[in-house]
Amino acid sequence: MSDNVVMYEASGGGGTGSSGAGVILVNFSHPISAAQLEQIAGMLHVNVSNIAVTTIKVEMDLQAPFSPQVDNLFRQLPEYLDTRVQVLINMPGLAPVAAMLTPLLLDYFSNSFKLIRLTSVSGSAMTSYEVFELIDI
């Protein structure tokens, strides 16, 4: 597994892959906060401890072709992910990279996952984000 992949349990239990997690969240973006995990758990009617998070750091070289870089991101997915459980994807913010990842993820996760849509919290002094919806793909 690459150093760019950080595996952890959301709040003690659960695990990753087939070791007990009911939901796998693959994060290609900014870190998911505890509050956002709580929102996701509420939307899915699961305990936070049942969400296993895999974070893949995305640092694109804008002066180089994206195709090999996207292939490298995709290869960083752990091979042992249990694709029989519910999968959530937090896509990278760079639209061409997200578009290039989509067909790879559809194939890998057997054409079924949800995208996480975040939105900024209005009226907050600092820019912060909350989970707005989970979109079926």
Side-chain angles (χ1 to χ4, degrees):
M1 185 181 330
S2 166
D3 290 337
N4 289 345
V5 180
V6 179
M7 299 292 289
Y8 66 92
E9 296 171 359
S11 64
T16 58
S18 58
S19 63
V23 179
I24 297 171
L25 190 161
V26 180
N27 182 23
F28 290 99
S29 193
H30 297 284
I32 299 291
S33 70
Q36 290 167 338
L37 273 177
E38 288 287 344
Q39 291 172 326
I40 290 166
M43 290 175 170
L44 296 174
H45 307 289
V46 300
N47 291 321
V48 170
S49 63
N50 290 330
I51 302 174
V53 180
T54 299
T55 297
I56 299 176
K57 188 175 182 180
V58 177
E59 290 182 353
M60 303 301 290
D61 179 351
L62 301 179
Q63 303 305 314
F66 278 170
S67 186
Q69 295 180 76
V70 169
D71 289 343
N72 183 49
L73 290 175
F74 180 72
R75 283 193 305 273
Q76 292 179 56
L77 282 173
E79 292 179 24
Y80 58 85
L81 285 180
D82 185 344
T83 58
R84 296 170 293 173
V85 300
Q86 189 165 25
V87 177
L88 304 175
I89 307 288
N90 191 27
M91 287 295 223
L94 194 56
V97 174
M100 294 170 74
L101 269 173
T102 299
L104 298 171
L105 294 169
L106 283 169
D107 184 52
Y108 186 80
F109 292 115
S110 303
N111 295 315
S112 179
F113 59 84
K114 293 179 185 288
L115 291 180
I116 299 171
R117 179 179 166 212
L118 301 175
T119 188
S120 59
V121 177
S122 61
S124 63
M126 287 187 355
T127 303
S128 61
Y129 295 89
E130 63 186 1
V131 179
F132 186 80
E133 66 180 324
L134 302 176
I135 304 168
D136 287 319
I137 299 295

PDB file of all heavy atoms in Angstrom, residues 47 54 64 85-86 95 105 122 136:
ATOM      1  N   ASN A  47     -24.048   3.510  12.320  1.00  0.00           N
ATOM      2  CA  ASN A  47     -23.155   4.082  13.318  1.00  0.00           C
ATOM      3  C   ASN A  47     -21.869   4.535  12.638  1.00  0.00           C
ATOM      4  O   ASN A  47     -21.406   3.900  11.679  1.00  0.00           O
ATOM      5  CB  ASN A  47     -22.805   3.048  14.391  1.00  0.00           C
ATOM      6  CG  ASN A  47     -24.002   2.712  15.248  1.00  0.00           C
ATOM      7  OD1 ASN A  47     -24.798   3.587  15.583  1.00  0.00           O
ATOM      8  ND2 ASN A  47     -24.137   1.449  15.596  1.00  0.00           N
ATOM      9  N   THR A  54     -10.898   5.360   3.634  1.00  0.00           N
ATOM     10  CA  THR A  54      -9.629   5.255   2.921  1.00  0.00           C
ATOM     11  C   THR A  54      -9.371   6.610   2.281  1.00  0.00           C
ATOM     12  O   THR A  54     -10.168   7.068   1.463  1.00  0.00           O
ATOM     13  CB  THR A  54      -9.697   4.179   1.811  1.00  0.00           C
ATOM     14  OG1 THR A  54      -9.971   2.924   2.404  1.00  0.00           O
ATOM     15  CG2 THR A  54      -8.397   4.102   1.050  1.00  0.00           C
ATOM     16  N   ALA A  64       1.881  18.137 -16.422  1.00  0.00           N
ATOM     17  CA  ALA A  64       2.086  16.788 -16.960  1.00  0.00           C
ATOM     18  C   ALA A  64       0.742  16.192 -17.354  1.00  0.00           C
ATOM     19  O   ALA A  64      -0.307  16.617 -16.843  1.00  0.00           O
ATOM     20  CB  ALA A  64       2.768  15.921 -15.913  1.00  0.00           C
ATOM     21  N   VAL A  85     -20.038  -4.186   0.123  1.00  0.00           N
ATOM     22  CA  VAL A  85     -20.648  -3.253   1.059  1.00  0.00           C
ATOM     23  C   VAL A  85     -20.923  -1.931   0.357  1.00  0.00           C
ATOM     24  O   VAL A  85     -20.467  -1.694  -0.760  1.00  0.00           O
ATOM     25  CB  VAL A  85     -19.754  -3.029   2.305  1.00  0.00           C
ATOM     26  CG1 VAL A  85     -19.530  -4.345   3.048  1.00  0.00           C
ATOM     27  CG2 VAL A  85     -18.449  -2.381   1.945  1.00  0.00           C
ATOM     28  N   GLN A  86     -21.642  -1.060   1.016  1.00  0.00           N
ATOM     29  CA  GLN A  86     -21.954   0.241   0.445  1.00  0.00           C
ATOM     30  C   GLN A  86     -20.685   1.080   0.331  1.00  0.00           C
ATOM     31  O   GLN A  86     -19.881   1.135   1.254  1.00  0.00           O
ATOM     32  CB  GLN A  86     -22.989   0.956   1.300  1.00  0.00           C
ATOM     33  CG  GLN A  86     -23.528   2.205   0.667  1.00  0.00           C
ATOM     34  CD  GLN A  86     -24.787   2.666   1.357  1.00  0.00           C
ATOM     35  OE1 GLN A  86     -25.030   2.378   2.519  1.00  0.00           O
ATOM     36  NE2 GLN A  86     -25.601   3.402   0.635  1.00  0.00           N
ATOM     37  N   ALA A  95     -12.124  18.880 -11.750  1.00  0.00           N
ATOM     38  CA  ALA A  95     -13.150  18.209 -12.560  1.00  0.00           C
ATOM     39  C   ALA A  95     -12.593  17.204 -13.567  1.00  0.00           C
ATOM     40  O   ALA A  95     -13.133  16.096 -13.675  1.00  0.00           O
ATOM     41  CB  ALA A  95     -14.024  19.246 -13.266  1.00  0.00           C
ATOM     42  N   LEU A 105     -13.720   3.797 -11.303  1.00  0.00           N
ATOM     43  CA  LEU A 105     -14.408   3.455 -10.055  1.00  0.00           C
ATOM     44  C   LEU A 105     -15.686   2.667 -10.323  1.00  0.00           C
ATOM     45  O   LEU A 105     -16.012   1.735  -9.577  1.00  0.00           O
ATOM     46  CB  LEU A 105     -14.717   4.726  -9.261  1.00  0.00           C
ATOM     47  CG  LEU A 105     -13.496   5.486  -8.744  1.00  0.00           C
ATOM     48  CD1 LEU A 105     -13.902   6.857  -8.207  1.00  0.00           C
ATOM     49  CD2 LEU A 105     -12.754   4.682  -7.694  1.00  0.00           C
ATOM     50  N   SER A 122     -23.412  28.315   5.321  1.00  0.00           N
ATOM     51  CA  SER A 122     -23.660  29.752   5.216  1.00  0.00           C
ATOM     52  C   SER A 122     -23.636  30.398   6.593  1.00  0.00           C
ATOM     53  O   SER A 122     -24.036  29.802   7.590  1.00  0.00           O
ATOM     54  CB  SER A 122     -25.004  30.022   4.531  1.00  0.00           C
ATOM     55  OG  SER A 122     -26.044  29.460   5.293  1.00  0.00           O
ATOM     56  N   ASP A 136     -26.600   8.808  -5.695  1.00  0.00           N
ATOM     57  CA  ASP A 136     -26.455   7.475  -6.268  1.00  0.00           C
ATOM     58  C   ASP A 136     -25.870   7.545  -7.671  1.00  0.00           C
ATOM     59  O   ASP A 136     -26.323   8.333  -8.508  1.00  0.00           O
ATOM     60  CB  ASP A 136     -27.810   6.761  -6.361  1.00  0.00           C
ATOM     61  CG  ASP A 136     -28.317   6.311  -5.018  1.00  0.00           C
ATOM     62  OD1 ASP A 136     -27.492   5.825  -4.217  1.00  0.00           O
ATOM     63  OD2 ASP A 136     -29.526   6.439  -4.758  1.00  0.00           O
TER      64      ASP A 136
END
